[in-house]
Amino acid sequence: GEIGPIAKVNLIQWAPGLPKTRSGKSMRRLLRKIAANEIDALGDTSTLADPTVVDNLISNRENK
């Protein structure tokens, strides 16, 4: 998809890494839920290569 001409960033969160599976695929589902502050409904994170990345994203999120 394309970003429209009036799109703007509301919030930027720096992170040491992204939640990726062992095969290297980014888990955008988790990023969306963390961004929406739905941390109680993250679902299965057992396939992550490094689960501590999710903990870091949650503890350092700006939208608490």
Side-chain angles (χ1 to χ4, degrees):
E2 280 188 38
I3 296 177
I6 59 169
K8 65 177 186 172
V9 176
N10 291 335
L11 186 72
I12 295 175
Q13 176 174 333
W14 301 105
L18 296 174
K20 293 186 176 187
T21 63
R22 290 182 196 96
S23 62
K25 293 183 180 179
S26 292
M27 294 191 73
R28 293 185 299 262
R29 169 184 63 85
L30 291 176
L31 293 173
R32 281 191 296 271
K33 292 201 179 228
I34 293 169
N37 211 16
E38 298 174 4
I39 58 170
D40 294 335
L42 292 182
D44 184 20
T45 58
S46 65
T47 60
L48 290 177
D50 181 4
T52 63
V53 170
V54 172
D55 297 334
N56 181 287
L57 288 170
I58 291 171
S59 63
N60 293 314
R61 73 191 187 284
E62 298 289 333
N63 64 334
K64 294 180 186 177

